[in-house]
mmCIF file of all heavy atoms in Angstrom:
data_model
loop_
_atom_site.group_PDB
_atom_site.id
_atom_site.type_symbol
_atom_site.label_atom_id
_atom_site.label_comp_id
_atom_site.label_asym_id
_atom_site.label_seq_id
_atom_site.Cartn_x
_atom_site.Cartn_y
_atom_site.Cartn_z
ATOM 1 N N LEU A 121 89.354 106.060 84.126
ATOM 2 C CA LEU A 121 89.459 107.333 84.824
ATOM 3 C C LEU A 121 90.488 107.245 85.949
ATOM 4 O O LEU A 121 91.312 108.152 86.114
ATOM 5 C CB LEU A 121 88.096 107.732 85.382
ATOM 6 C CG LEU A 121 87.971 109.166 85.899
ATOM 7 C CD1 LEU A 121 88.166 110.164 84.776
ATOM 8 C CD2 LEU A 121 86.609 109.370 86.559
ATOM 9 N N ARG A 122 90.474 106.178 86.699
ATOM 10 C CA ARG A 122 91.425 106.025 87.802
ATOM 11 C C ARG A 122 92.848 105.852 87.280
ATOM 12 O O ARG A 122 93.802 106.341 87.885
ATOM 13 C CB ARG A 122 91.011 104.848 88.675
ATOM 14 C CG ARG A 122 89.768 105.138 89.514
ATOM 15 C CD ARG A 122 89.136 103.875 90.035
ATOM 16 N NE ARG A 122 90.041 103.124 90.884
ATOM 17 C CZ ARG A 122 89.808 101.857 91.244
ATOM 18 N NH1 ARG A 122 88.740 101.228 90.794
ATOM 19 N NH2 ARG A 122 90.652 101.243 92.030
ATOM 20 N N TRP A 123 92.978 105.138 86.151
ATOM 21 C CA TRP A 123 94.313 105.049 85.560
ATOM 22 C C TRP A 123 94.790 106.427 85.122
ATOM 23 O O TRP A 123 95.944 106.800 85.341
ATOM 24 C CB TRP A 123 94.314 104.118 84.351
ATOM 25 C CG TRP A 123 95.662 104.109 83.690
ATOM 26 C CD1 TRP A 123 96.732 103.327 83.982
ATOM 27 C CD2 TRP A 123 96.097 104.989 82.638
ATOM 28 N NE1 TRP A 123 97.814 103.642 83.190
ATOM 29 C CE2 TRP A 123 97.447 104.660 82.362
ATOM 30 C CE3 TRP A 123 95.495 106.011 81.918
ATOM 31 C CZ2 TRP A 123 98.197 105.335 81.387
ATOM 32 C CZ3 TRP A 123 96.235 106.682 80.952
ATOM 33 C CH2 TRP A 123 97.564 106.333 80.691
ATOM 34 N N LEU A 124 93.895 107.195 84.509
ATOM 35 C CA LEU A 124 94.254 108.523 84.034
ATOM 36 C C LEU A 124 94.663 109.426 85.187
ATOM 37 O O LEU A 124 95.642 110.176 85.074
ATOM 38 C CB LEU A 124 93.070 109.141 83.281
ATOM 39 C CG LEU A 124 93.308 110.524 82.665
ATOM 40 C CD1 LEU A 124 94.411 110.463 81.618
ATOM 41 C CD2 LEU A 124 92.011 111.058 82.059
ATOM 42 N N PHE A 125 93.946 109.363 86.300
ATOM 43 C CA PHE A 125 94.312 110.160 87.467
ATOM 44 C C PHE A 125 95.735 109.825 87.919
ATOM 45 O O PHE A 125 96.545 110.708 88.193
ATOM 46 C CB PHE A 125 93.333 109.917 88.618
ATOM 47 C CG PHE A 125 91.979 110.542 88.418
ATOM 48 C CD1 PHE A 125 90.950 110.285 89.300
ATOM 49 C CD2 PHE A 125 91.744 111.372 87.335
ATOM 50 C CE1 PHE A 125 89.702 110.859 89.125
ATOM 51 C CE2 PHE A 125 90.490 111.942 87.130
ATOM 52 C CZ PHE A 125 89.475 111.691 88.038
ATOM 53 N N GLY A 126 96.024 108.521 88.024
ATOM 54 C CA GLY A 126 97.355 108.106 88.440
ATOM 55 C C GLY A 126 98.428 108.562 87.474
ATOM 56 O O GLY A 126 99.518 108.995 87.883
ATOM 57 N N ALA A 127 98.145 108.489 86.159
ATOM 58 C CA ALA A 127 99.118 108.903 85.149
ATOM 59 C C ALA A 127 99.362 110.402 85.207
ATOM 60 O O ALA A 127 100.510 110.865 85.071
ATOM 61 C CB ALA A 127 98.630 108.488 83.765
ATOM 62 N N ILE A 128 98.314 111.180 85.426
ATOM 63 C CA ILE A 128 98.480 112.638 85.500
ATOM 64 C C ILE A 128 99.332 113.016 86.707
ATOM 65 O O ILE A 128 100.169 113.929 86.627
ATOM 66 C CB ILE A 128 97.104 113.333 85.558
ATOM 67 C CG1 ILE A 128 96.377 113.168 84.222
ATOM 68 C CG2 ILE A 128 97.252 114.814 85.895
ATOM 69 C CD1 ILE A 128 94.964 113.721 84.220
ATOM 70 N N LEU A 129 99.142 112.331 87.821
ATOM 71 C CA LEU A 129 99.940 112.636 89.005
ATOM 72 C C LEU A 129 101.424 112.377 88.765
ATOM 73 O O LEU A 129 102.282 113.048 89.336
ATOM 74 C CB LEU A 129 99.443 111.823 90.204
ATOM 75 C CG LEU A 129 98.054 112.191 90.725
ATOM 76 C CD1 LEU A 129 97.646 111.266 91.864
ATOM 77 C CD2 LEU A 129 98.011 113.647 91.179
ATOM 78 N N LEU A 130 101.740 111.400 87.925
ATOM 79 C CA LEU A 130 103.142 111.132 87.605
ATOM 80 C C LEU A 130 103.777 112.266 86.802
ATOM 81 O O LEU A 130 105.006 112.401 86.792
ATOM 82 C CB LEU A 130 103.268 109.826 86.817
ATOM 83 C CG LEU A 130 103.217 108.520 87.611
ATOM 84 C CD1 LEU A 130 103.296 107.336 86.662
ATOM 85 C CD2 LEU A 130 104.340 108.450 88.637
ATOM 86 N N LEU A 131 102.952 113.073 86.143
ATOM 87 C CA LEU A 131 103.497 114.145 85.314
ATOM 88 C C LEU A 131 104.285 115.154 86.136
ATOM 89 O O LEU A 131 105.203 115.798 85.624
ATOM 90 C CB LEU A 131 102.363 114.859 84.568
ATOM 91 C CG LEU A 131 101.570 114.019 83.563
ATOM 92 C CD1 LEU A 131 100.468 114.869 82.932
ATOM 93 C CD2 LEU A 131 102.480 113.443 82.487
ATOM 94 N N MET A 132 103.924 115.317 87.413
ATOM 95 C CA MET A 132 104.603 116.314 88.228
ATOM 96 C C MET A 132 106.028 115.901 88.607
ATOM 97 O O MET A 132 106.810 116.731 89.074
ATOM 98 C CB MET A 132 103.795 116.602 89.506
ATOM 99 C CG MET A 132 103.805 115.484 90.535
ATOM 100 S SD MET A 132 103.073 115.990 92.119
ATOM 101 C CE MET A 132 101.358 116.161 91.688
ATOM 102 N N VAL A 133 106.374 114.610 88.390
ATOM 103 C CA VAL A 133 107.694 114.151 88.816
ATOM 104 C C VAL A 133 108.567 113.662 87.673
ATOM 105 O O VAL A 133 109.774 113.473 87.853
ATOM 106 C CB VAL A 133 107.569 113.028 89.874
ATOM 107 C CG1 VAL A 133 107.022 113.577 91.175
ATOM 108 C CG2 VAL A 133 106.700 111.883 89.374
ATOM 109 N N VAL A 134 108.010 113.470 86.490
ATOM 110 C CA VAL A 134 108.800 112.885 85.413
ATOM 111 C C VAL A 134 109.754 113.906 84.800
ATOM 112 O O VAL A 134 110.861 113.566 84.367
ATOM 113 C CB VAL A 134 107.888 112.270 84.333
ATOM 114 C CG1 VAL A 134 107.142 113.345 83.561
ATOM 115 C CG2 VAL A 134 108.693 111.394 83.386
#
Side-chain angles (χ1 to χ4, degrees):
L121 192 64
R122 288 163 60 194
W123 176 87
L124 182 62
F125 287 173
I128 292 175
L129 292 177
L130 280 178
L131 297 179
M132 72 170 69
V133 291
V134 70

